Amino acid sequence: MKPASRGIIPDPIARQPWDMLIPLLLLVSFGAAVLYSAGGGAMQPFASSHLIRFAVCLVMAGIISALPRELVRALTYPAYIAVLLLLMAVEAIGQVGGGSQRWLDLGVIVLQPSELMKPTIAVTLALFFSTLPPGMITSWRALALPGLLIGLPMVFVLLQPDLGTALAIGFGGVIVMLLAGVPLRWFIAGGVAGAVAAPLVFFFALKEYQQRRVLTLFDPEADALGAGYHIIQSKIAIGSGGMFGKGFNNGTQSHLNYLPEPHTDFVFATMAEEWGLAGGLAVIILFALILRWGWGVAQASHDRFASLLAGGMVATIFFYVAVNLMMVMGLAPVVGIPLPFMSHGGSSMLTNMICIGALMMVNRWNREAPRRGLAS
Amino acid sequence: MSAWWPFQRSRHAAGGPHISATILRDRFSRRAMVIGGVQGGLGVLLAARMGYLAIAENEKYQLQSESNRVNLSLIPPRRGWILDRNGAPLASNRADFRVDVIPERLENPDATIALIGSLLGLEAARIADIKADVAEARRFQPVEVASGLTYEQYAALSVRLPDLSGVVPQRGFSRFYPTGPTVGHLVGYVGPASPEEYEQDRNPLLITPGYKIGKDGVEKQFEKTLRGIPGARRVEVTASGRIVRDLENRDDVQGQPVRLTIDGPLQDYAARRIGLESGSVVVMDCRSGDLLCMASMPSFDPNSFSDGIGSVEYAMLRDDERVPLRNKVLKGLYPPGSTVKPMVSMALLERGIDPEETVFCGGGLQVGNRRFGCWNRRGHGATNMAKAIYQSCDVYFYAMSQRVGMDPIAAMARRCGMGQEFPLPVVSQFFGTVPDPKWKMDKFGREWQAFDTVNATIGQGYMLANPLQLAVMAARLATGRHVMPRLTLDTKPTGFDTIDFPSDQVTYVRKAMSDVVNGPGTAGRARLPIPNVQLAGKTGTAQVVSLSISNGKSGPWKYRDHGLFIFFAPYDNPIYAGAVVIEHGGGSGAAYPIARDVTTFLFDPGKGLDALAALEKQWGGTAQQRLAARYAAYAAERGADAPRPPQRERDIFEQVEAEARRAATRSQGLATDAVTPRPEANPSATPPPEPVPGTAPAASAPGSAATPATPALPAATASGTPVP
């Protein structure tokens, strides 16, 4: 909690959550610098649009943070249904158009409903559990209904097919369930079932290119020019950076196009090549600061809905960061998940800033009614 | 519940109804802490992983990053030149633009090759060849698409490079043979290394696009000298292979030149003078043994062979019964015919036969119950050695050889170079046969017969020699020294300290051979149109099939007699010696005019060229022009269904060599009985119309008038004829 006033700094500024905003601004600026380099040493085409998107999304996060609690609660289920319908619409259009599709072209903006679903699922489950009587947390209803809420959008996203996003939705939902106090035995049972199902899924559900990506994880060199190429080149970029990197704008892996997607999925590798381990640790620490602030917000709230919501948002951001970093370091398959706040890309910026906005909103609720009711 | 284990369910919580909001709140805090802790742990793990990559494995990845970034390409060394004795190039290099493809880097070979073909405007047959080459080549082996491109073509291709992975256009040097086919067999040609050659010598240079090694002739023999040291170019490249900038260059070191004893203009002249015939001309400097000319025609054009042997080209050369792929100087074996007579004379002189002793020639010689005919059925009358040489009297040699026997003659033949292999830097040479009683017994298990000696003294039967050996024989007869031929200027002339024949014998034979041309001999038309220089020589007409198949002058080309001529000039102080062999030329009349013109060229190039110009007008251009015209006609006629040449050049030459051996043994089929000598060119006759064989010298008349002494074939019974 910030003190109400810091003397010369005006109160509306002083009460902003600067312990999150400063790392965030640093991260975005650092991202812009990396994108400047990835763009061949120019603001165009990546860095400038990255900063503009961030500015727009920051305004949006500010608006979200101003939303009153009752309004959010009232809009949660309709929003879930709306996003689910959008997902179905994408699938339907894809079927008609004869090809898989992930986005809806609304004329003004290109909307990717699967991205919207990530924060939406967290809010929806937070609301569901906050309205569930505490005694029912061990009943099957505490499992079945949320399972359905998570499962439906996952199925549609998998049909797109977009394994990465489906897993992100699932992960966010499961973390909210875990935080809500669903008995641990369900998760253990689920984990065992997953371990059994994984081989089946691998052999029967995954597309061939997805299987190859998983396999190359274990032996990237086996297919150095094919599926393993991304992982090898990314590791070369990170490894060759050394302690302090090759210097700003001096990355050869990215500048000579050896690194695939140097401005989106592999932006961390681009950064690490030029800034070395020092830059990498800085990025990890900045993310840690932001996520720690998020957990702080969640813990500080005594409103069950708000704290579950905040926990879900932190989990969603974390999923992005963790999977992306594991992917670029060769610890996870290449699933096409960008690094929040650094990768160039509108959808991921939007999703993550929605999460940040929601956390700022909870933070404001906490400040305005720190002792608000223990029950809903 | 224990405080340190946050996930532990309290005993009463398991029941269900007792769970309260407070419990859930506690559960949230604990689980949030644990999840946060796991996340933090993962963060540490990621930081550790990154530290491992960036520090522990830094060196490895830095190396890989460098090898990504930096592309080391070898610059093929410029090949050393092949020079003639005066320093003029027989093979040089020409700067050009070329394009190769590397099969393993092609994404869509057929489409890419089709696109290159349309960009460069290649013929359909060539495109089909390239596709087949790419399909058959080892994955890493570059395949030449085209060379000698214009700058516009090169530029058109270069701008499309980003779409054309595996296509390598470059500036480079290609081999250039200024005189084309006339040096084909001598110099050989170059081509990309075959997989076998790369297996043997794992030199990355061998699979560098644009690099070629010698495949035949001097190019192959002096490969190490000519190769040079490759340069290197380090460039920074993008992932798609586009060169960003040069980092460092090391220039190539051109290979050493090879200086041959060949006289370039003479080689070209002689090859062109052969004209439409199939044959060879060898000229030596008999003061040093230098081979001045080793022309073998028809030939292939090494310029186009070096660009890859095309299907159409190969099929055209294979189809030609004049075997353009065979080096006739070294791998053409022919019965030497009467050209052996001066050599036999030397053997007789050595055995103490008085050259002035005469033998009466009445058109044949009775030995026991057999009569061996002279080519001149009317007989030469009283014949001494000189007359026997210049009139090519067979009876004189039949009679004298019966007296001395075969062994001294065979020894002399070997001393003169027949049956010998010379220490020359050539890929291979056939050494022919000098038969003697022991050889025949070893080979066929049969006794030597009188007719065998008869055959040998007139250079028929089993006796076989190549044109190089005949030229060496001419040089040794002319000088009396054991002249050894040499092909490169950096070797020492050898053999001059060995005296083969005493000078009085040499003088005698020289005079007799001069009379062949300048006196009442068989080659009166060979007189040089140059004052004070007299050519000496000996004609030979070698029969290849029995008289029952062909008269040797007309009919199918392959049954006609070979025409041979050995010569030296000036006759009294020999400088040049040589041999001309025209395959199936219909007799020596096809050979000696060529020797005359070649010698004329040696002493007066202007006069020689005038004579050639007139002839080439009739023939339809120089050898190179005629080859190009034939190619065009052949390609138009059957370009589409031309079979593919063997992938390995070695197969081509093994096949050619096998055929050459088979061809050489054909005339030995006659050796089962006495060979009826063919009429020699008429000393005073009008010249036979050049170059058309078939309208033979007037001397064919006696041959048909007189009944041959014995049927040549079949000879199973005749071979048993007792010799007294």
Side-chain angles (χ1 to χ4, degrees):
Chain A
M1 287 293 114
K2 294 280 165 190
S5 172
R6 272 184 181 170
I8 56 163
I9 300 171
D11 192 53
I13 294 175
R15 70 165 181 253
Q16 294 306 319
W18 291 109
D19 42 355
M20 175 277 291
L21 281 177
I22 288 170
L24 182 65
L25 288 170
L26 284 173
L27 207 51
V28 171
S29 315
F30 194 24
V34 174
L35 291 177
Y36 177 88
S37 172
M43 290 302 283
Q44 293 296 343
F46 308 133
S48 56
S49 65
H50 180 71
L51 290 172
I52 291 168
R53 276 178 193 153
F54 175 71
V56 171
C57 289
L58 192 63
V59 171
M60 181 204 66
I63 294 169
I64 290 173
S65 73
L67 293 178
R69 182 172 172 279
E70 297 314 319
L71 183 65
V72 173
R73 290 181 66 115
L75 287 180
T76 296
Y77 287 132
Y80 176 81
I81 289 165
V83 175
L84 195 60
L85 286 174
L86 281 175
L87 271 177
M88 293 161 81
V90 165
E91 194 54 36
I93 289 170
Q95 290 290 332
V96 174
S100 83
Q101 194 172 329
R102 294 176 180 183
W103 29 262
L104 279 178
D105 195 344
L106 299 181
V108 196
I109 55 163
V110 175
L111 197 66
Q112 205 167 327
S114 57
E115 286 291 330
L116 288 179
M117 186 46 92
K118 291 179 206 168
T120 307
I121 192 73
V123 185
T124 307
L125 287 174
L127 181 62
F128 173 82
F129 282 110
S130 68
T131 52
L132 190 75
M136 289 182 63
I137 199 70
T138 51
S139 79
W140 61 272
R141 262 167 290 189
L143 193 67
L145 220 58
L148 195 67
L149 288 173
I150 298 170
L152 269 178
M154 275 184 79
V155 168
F156 285 113
V157 175
L158 273 176
L159 282 174
Q160 287 182 354
D162 184 353
L163 182 65
T165 308
L167 287 175
I169 293 169
F171 182 81
V174 168
I175 291 291
V176 174
M177 286 170 73
L178 191 65
L179 289 171
V182 172
L184 209 55
R185 62 172 181 275
W186 296 117
F187 293 97
I188 293 166
V192 171
V196 174
L200 298 175
V201 169
F202 177 81
F203 286 113
F204 298 110
L206 292 192
K207 304 245 165 181
E208 200 252 335
Y209 78 96
Q210 291 167 326
Q211 289 182 351
R212 224 172 32 230
R213 283 180 182 179
V214 175
L215 285 180
T216 34
L217 181 65
F218 300 106
D219 186 12
E221 278 76 15
D223 187 10
L225 287 177
Y229 181 81
H230 297 66
I231 291 179
I232 291 173
Q233 296 301 334
S234 175
K235 280 161 74 178
I236 291 175
I238 295 171
S240 65
M243 188 67 91
F244 296 105
K246 297 175 184 170
F248 185 51
N249 260 342
N250 286 337
T252 54
Q253 287 287 102
S254 54
H255 285 239
L256 299 176
N257 305 335
Y258 291 99
L259 198 57
E261 306 282 325
H263 58 290
T264 57
D265 292 359
F266 290 90
V267 74
F268 184 82
T270 307
M271 184 281 302
E273 189 186 13
E274 297 188 358
W275 301 87
L277 181 61
L281 291 179
V283 167
I284 292 173
I285 289 168
L286 290 175
F287 274 115
L289 289 174
I290 293 170
L291 294 174
R292 200 191 63 171
W293 172 81
W295 281 121
V297 169
Q299 293 277 26
S301 173
H302 290 271
D303 173 6
R304 184 163 161 75
F305 170 60
S307 51
L308 286 178
L309 186 155
M313 293 303 168
V314 173
T316 302
I317 297 176
F318 170 78
F319 184 81
Y320 270 92
V321 177
V323 172
N324 180 273
L325 292 187
M326 283 165 64
M327 173 180 88
V328 297
M329 294 185 202
L331 297 173
V334 177
V335 282
I337 285 185
L339 187 64
F341 314 122
M342 289 188 79
S343 285
H344 181 258
S347 299
S348 107
M349 182 65 89
L350 182 74
T351 311
N352 287 294
M353 286 309 286
I354 288 175
C355 295
I356 290 289
L359 285 167
M360 285 164 69
M361 176 180 78
V362 174
N363 187 40
R364 188 178 58 79
W365 294 347
N366 290 349
R367 194 175 60 239
E368 285 172 0
R371 294 285 154 229
R372 197 169 172 124
L374 292 175
S376 60
Chain B
M1 85 193 154
S2 46
W4 57 271
W5 179 232
F7 286 133
Q8 189 169 8
R9 285 179 294 116
S10 53
R11 216 157 287 148
H12 54 269
H18 300 295
I19 290 180
S20 70
T22 320
I23 291 169
L24 287 182
R25 176 77 219 157
D26 282 354
R27 224 179 243 186
F28 176 85
S29 298
R30 283 198 312 276
R31 291 187 179 180
M33 252 171 60
V34 170
I35 293 170
V38 169
Q39 291 179 352
L42 198 65
V44 172
L45 179 78
L46 285 171
R49 167 73 173 170
M50 191 178 167
Y52 174 73
L53 288 178
I55 293 170
E57 294 201 302
N58 176 245
E59 209 167 314
K60 165 182 155 192
Y61 285 120
Q62 220 156 29
L63 211 69
Q64 291 189 6
S65 151
E66 278 299 288
S67 78
N68 263 350
R69 179 177 79 96
V70 176
N71 194 339
L72 180 79
S73 52
L74 289 174
I75 301 172
R78 286 159 294 156
R79 237 175 134 68
W81 288 19
I82 298 174
L83 303 172
D84 82 344
R85 58 187 299 114
N86 300 314
L90 298 174
S92 59
N93 302 316
R94 200 160 48 170
D96 76 343
F97 295 103
R98 52 177 293 120
V99 56
D100 299 77
V101 295
I102 298 173
E104 69 184 347
R105 293 201 217 142
L106 288 174
E107 267 162 21
N108 183 348
D110 279 1
T112 309
I113 293 164
L115 177 62
I116 303 173
S118 69
L119 283 174
L120 302 182
L122 299 178
E123 307 162 28
R126 178 79 192 118
I127 294 176
D129 274 1
I130 298 166
K131 283 182 181 170
D133 283 344
V134 166
E136 287 164 22
R138 298 282 182 92
R139 308 295 300 150
F140 52 81
Q141 266 202 312
V143 173
E144 172 168 335
V145 173
S147 63
L149 301 177
T150 64
Y151 179 74
E152 284 71 27
Q153 289 174 312
Y154 172 77
L157 206 60
S158 296
V159 293
R160 303 287 296 265
L161 265 196
D163 313 331
L164 297 170
S165 75
V167 178
V168 189
Q170 58 182 332
R171 295 189 71 131
F173 289 91
S174 65
R175 204 63 163 156
F176 177 56
Y177 305 91
T179 51
T182 63
V183 296
H185 293 304
L186 171 69
V187 173
Y189 67 104
V190 295
S194 67
E196 288 89 350
E197 282 157 338
Y198 178 63
E199 301 285 312
Q200 282 168 16
D201 176 10
R202 284 255 167 207
N203 187 339
L205 182 61
L206 294 186
I207 54 166
T208 302
Y211 180 72
K212 291 177 177 174
I213 64 171
K215 291 291 187 177
D216 193 27
V218 174
E219 292 274 25
K220 182 173 185 179
Q221 208 60 31
F222 290 95
E223 174 62 27
K224 283 209 169 70
T225 316
L226 294 168
R227 181 175 286 186
I229 301 165
R233 190 159 87 124
R234 290 183 63 210
V235 288
E236 192 171 276
V237 290
T238 67
S240 55
R242 195 171 55 84
I243 292 167
V244 179
R245 61 187 158 141
D246 282 326
L247 297 175
E248 194 185 346
N249 274 331
R250 191 185 73 213
D251 287 334
D252 61 314
V253 177
Q254 183 166 16
Q256 297 293 310
V258 169
R259 274 192 89 166
L260 301 181
T261 57
I262 296 293
D263 180 340
L266 178 70
Q267 169 86 16
D268 188 45
Y269 181 89
R272 283 163 62 187
R273 182 58 186 82
I274 293 171
L276 308 177
E277 301 280 7
S278 165
S280 46
V281 177
V282 180
V283 179
M284 289 170 69
D285 185 325
C286 42
R287 298 163 303 179
S288 59
D290 289 2
L291 285 159
L292 300 177
C293 145
M294 294 172 85
S296 160
M297 295 297 279
S299 174
F300 55 87
D301 185 344
N303 287 308
S304 78
F305 261 37
S306 294
D307 290 347
I309 302 172
S311 299
V312 172
E313 186 179 24
Y314 178 71
M316 174 182 88
L317 298 174
R318 287 288 309 161
D319 278 3
D320 193 335
E321 61 179 351
R322 297 172 188 218
V323 283
L325 293 172
R326 185 189 303 165
N327 182 353
K328 299 181 185 80
V329 171
L330 300 170
K331 294 180 199 166
L333 289 179
Y334 310 93
S338 299
T339 58
V340 297
K341 283 174 182 165
M343 177 275 290
V344 177
S345 300
M346 284 297 186
L348 300 178
L349 289 171
E350 198 179 46
R351 302 296 285 191
I353 302 251
D354 177 2
E356 296 309 326
E357 184 182 342
T358 60
V359 169
F360 182 79
C361 169
L365 179 71
Q366 195 75 27
V367 177
N369 60 355
R370 297 236 1 219
R371 185 184 143 91
F372 298 107
C374 182
W375 69 267
N376 188 341
R377 305 289 173 236
R378 287 170 302 204
H380 290 101
T383 306
N384 66 4
M385 185 180 283
K387 186 179 178 188
I389 292 175
Y390 63 71
Q391 282 284 330
S392 200
C393 176
D394 298 319
V395 165
Y396 177 88
F397 288 99
Y398 296 162
M400 289 302 182
S401 64
Q402 291 302 316
R403 205 187 296 175
V404 300
M406 186 61 206
D407 285 329
I409 295 172
M412 182 57 71
R414 293 189 189 104
R415 201 199 292 177
C416 284
M418 289 174 62
Q420 308 301 301
E421 211 170 349
F422 302 107
L424 290 175
V426 294
V427 175
S428 77
Q429 48 183 321
F430 287 3
F431 44 86
T433 311
V434 177
D436 61 21
K438 183 178 179 302
W439 174 87
K440 189 180 176 188
M441 185 51 88
D442 288 350
K443 177 133 179 162
F444 298 107
R446 282 204 290 268
E447 289 293 330
W448 188 261
Q449 305 287 346
F451 68 81
D452 284 320
T453 310
V454 163
N455 283 345
T457 55
I458 59 168
Q460 288 274 182
Y462 296 116
M463 197 172 264
L464 288 175
N466 69 32
L468 174 64
Q469 291 166 342
L470 296 180
V472 170
M473 178 164 78
R476 289 181 182 170
L477 290 170
T479 58
R481 314 276 167 139
H482 200 71
V483 180
M484 292 298 280
R486 64 171 189 155
L487 191 52
T488 48
L489 281 180
D490 57 0
T491 49
K492 271 195 158 11
T494 49
F496 290 89
D497 44 357
T498 312
I499 310 261
D500 274 345
F501 316 112
S503 63
D504 58 323
Q505 294 176 9
V506 170
T507 311
Y508 184 87
V509 171
R510 272 186 193 168
K511 179 74 181 94
M513 287 175 74
S514 170
D515 284 344
V516 170
V517 176
N518 306 300
T522 51
R525 268 191 354 100
R527 264 168 225 155
L528 295 181
I530 295 169
N532 306 326
V533 181
Q534 291 193 319
L535 181 71
K538 180 70 196 83
T539 55
T541 295
Q543 192 176 334
V544 289
V545 289
S546 75
L547 202 63
S548 57
I549 296 175
S550 168
N551 68 1
K553 308 294 172 200
S554 56
W557 179 78
K558 61 176 180 176
Y559 295 148
R560 293 181 195 168
D561 298 339
H562 297 313
L564 303 96
F565 192 66
I566 62 169
F567 62 94
F568 52 86
Y571 95 93
D572 46 355
N573 178 28
I575 301 175
Y576 304 112
V580 175
V581 178
I582 300 302
E583 288 187 332
H584 309 297
S588 59
Y592 64 73
I594 295 176
R596 174 197 65 207
D597 288 353
V598 167
T599 317
T600 305
F601 179 82
L602 277 167
F603 289 99
D604 186 344
K607 251 183 205 162
L609 284 171
D610 288 346
L612 179 63
L615 289 169
E616 282 190 335
K617 213 172 199 176
Q618 296 174 31
W619 296 336
T622 64
Q624 205 157 7
Q625 289 162 346
R626 292 199 312 272
L627 187 63
R630 268 194 66 207
Y631 176 80
Y634 191 92
E637 188 190 334
R638 44 170 311 198
D641 58 332
R644 297 271 300 146
Q647 271 308 291
R648 299 156 64 231
E649 290 85 358
R650 219 195 295 161
D651 290 349
I652 296 179
F653 287 99
E654 274 167 8
Q655 210 172 340
V656 167
E657 202 158 307
E659 280 164 17
R661 285 182 199 283
R662 212 177 322 138
T665 56
R666 200 169 52 169
S667 65
Q668 289 190 334
L670 293 172
T672 45
D673 198 2
V675 173
T676 313
R678 285 293 163 86
E680 278 304 327
N682 195 311
S684 55
T686 47
E690 279 291 328
V692 190
T695 49
S700 57
S704 49
T707 313
T710 51
L713 277 174
T717 51
S719 64
T721 312
V723 180

